């Protein structure tokens, strides 16, 4: 069985593939290395043969996790690394190693699925947009605060914005003007994300007309999907790219 990990700034997304790689036999989202190991240990009949991982965390933090996986499961870990070019996509950053690896893998996955120009939008701790032309040239992208960061900035820098997760979830059933603090903040931040999406779409249209594919991924992709009915919602887009960047044979 193959373990796949996507270590973002807030959460580790994991899944276990059967050895034929065809289907995920288990998956989850956890907040720490320890919680990951616990979830995996609790799986009946787990026999890991390989592991591939992408991380946007500090090298030291990632190394710790790699060591813990080796010590617990005896599994060697293959980590995605930056590249100037891969699978027909050319990294557009001045310094290719500085492009977030989750962005890079989502781009590889998107370009493979679209077989043409694409706009890849990822809604995690940060919200990111990346533009790839039909011949695989990465034009660059944009980074702005995602939902978790917008919330926590408001909370940290005001005296009176405080509410719990359950209230936050209820507040997002509608997007009409808020009549409580939680509604005003949750809906306001959601509209910021949607505004971000619409601006990226406008730019993509100015480059490619209607001839491009939009991908939505990341934990908060659902919050914006209504605003882009033509988009492909692909929650595991980073994992699609991870398999391309870390082939295991
Ligand atoms: N099952 C889930 N577990 C945890 N967070 C989730 C889940 N579904 C959606 N989210 C939301 O996704 C966001 C984090 O997205 P994610 O792509 O995991 O971020 P990152 O890659 O930066 O760690 C949070 O705002 C969180 O509330
Ligand atoms: C932009 C990001 C913070 C997004 O991280 P995430 O929200 O997925 O945790 C990450 O891709 C990153 O650290 N990138 C390096 C900076 C860059 O891409 O320019
Ligand atoms: K991510």
């Amino acid at each position: 069985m193959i373990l796949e990990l996507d270590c973002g700034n807030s959460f580790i997304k994991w899944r276990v593939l059967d050895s034929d790689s065809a289907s995920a036999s288990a998956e989850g989202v956890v907040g720490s290395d320890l919680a990951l190991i616990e979830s995996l240990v609790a799986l009946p009949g787990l026999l890991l043969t390989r592991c591939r991982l992408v991380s946007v965390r500090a090298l030291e933090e990632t190394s710790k996790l790699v060591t813990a996986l080796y010590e617990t499961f005896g599994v060697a870990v293959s980590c995605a690394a930056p590249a100037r070019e891969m699978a027909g996509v050319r990294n557009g950053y001045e310094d290719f190693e500085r492009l977030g690896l989750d962005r890079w893998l989502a781009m590889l996955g998107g370009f493979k699925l679209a077989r043409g120009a694409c706009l890849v939008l990822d809604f995690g701790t940060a919200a990111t947009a990346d533009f790839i032309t039909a011949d695989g040239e990465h034009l660059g992208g944009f980074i702005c605060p995602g939902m978790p960061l917008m919330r926590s900035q408001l909370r940290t820098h005001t005296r009176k914005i405080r509410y719990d997760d359950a209230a936050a979830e209820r507040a997002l059933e509608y997007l009409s003007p808020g009549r409580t603090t939680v509604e005003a903040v949750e809906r306001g931040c959601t509209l910021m994300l949607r505004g971000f999406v619409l601006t990226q779409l406008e730019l993509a249209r100015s480059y490619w007309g209607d001839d491009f594919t939009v991908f939505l991924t990341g934990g908060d992709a659902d919050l914006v999907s209504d605003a882009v009915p033509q988009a492909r919602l692909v929650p595991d887009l980073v994992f699609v790219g991870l398999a391309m960047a870390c082939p295991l044979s």
Side-chain angles (χ1 to χ4, degrees):
M1 300 175 189
I2 301 163
L3 173 64
E4 294 187 327
L5 300 172
D6 170 9
C7 306
N9 282 291
S10 303
F11 294 99
I12 300 175
K13 280 66 70 182
W14 64 268
R15 69 182 190 185
V16 174
L17 302 181
D18 293 328
S19 290
D20 59 8
S21 290
S23 57
S25 59
E27 61 187 343
V29 183
V30 289
S32 68
D33 292 6
L34 190 62
L36 170 68
I37 306 264
E38 282 172 0
S39 305
L40 293 173
V41 165
L43 292 176
L46 182 75
L47 248 184
L48 294 179
T49 48
R50 304 299 297 268
C51 172
R52 52 187 163 218
L53 168 159
V54 58
S55 173
V56 292
R57 301 180 174 192
L59 192 59
E60 190 183 301
E61 220 180 336
T62 307
S63 302
K64 255 192 207 155
L65 176 57
V66 168
T67 304
L69 290 167
Y70 186 73
E71 284 173 353
T72 315
F73 302 103
V75 73
V77 180
S78 157
C79 295
R84 228 184 279 279
E85 181 161 3
M86 183 173 284
V89 182
R90 286 182 305 287
N91 190 318
Y93 258 31
E94 287 176 12
D95 181 352
F96 72 94
E97 292 176 304
R98 299 215 172 249
L99 175 69
L101 279 170
D102 54 349
R103 294 172 62 191
W104 175 239
L105 297 187
M107 282 162 48
L108 296 182
F111 190 70
K112 178 187 178 182
L113 298 178
R115 289 192 233 99
C118 50
L119 168 60
V120 179
L121 302 169
D122 189 327
F123 299 90
T125 310
T128 61
D130 282 287
F131 294 75
I132 304 106
T133 67
D135 55 6
E137 191 187 344
H138 174 221
L139 300 178
F142 298 96
I143 303 173
C144 73
M147 202 64 179
L149 282 183
M150 288 196 276
R151 278 191 191 109
S152 81
Q153 282 297 91
L154 283 168
R155 194 190 142 108
T156 310
H157 297 284
T158 62
R159 307 289 191 286
K160 294 186 177 170
I161 295 182
R162 297 283 184 278
Y163 53 82
D164 59 46
D165 291 349
E169 200 165 316
R170 281 197 304 275
L172 283 175
E173 279 166 25
Y174 303 96
L175 284 178
S176 48
R179 289 168 177 272
T180 60
T181 302
V182 59
E183 287 177 2
V185 170
E186 288 294 309
R187 294 176 190 178
C189 293
T190 299
L191 292 179
M192 293 270 289
L193 287 186
R194 291 184 179 214
F196 176 78
V197 168
L198 296 178
T199 307
Q200 307 309 320
L201 282 176
E202 238 171 64
L203 188 57
R205 271 193 213 106
S206 78
Y207 291 143
W208 305 314
D210 286 325
D211 202 9
F212 65 95
T213 306
V214 186
F215 290 96
L216 300 180
T217 193
D220 285 321
D222 283 339
L223 293 182
V224 301
S225 55
D226 284 355
V228 234
Q230 75 274 33
R232 290 176 67 175
L233 184 62
V234 186
D236 66 354
L237 195 61
V238 170
F239 283 139
V240 175
L242 181 61
M244 298 164 71
C246 299
L248 292 178
S249 49

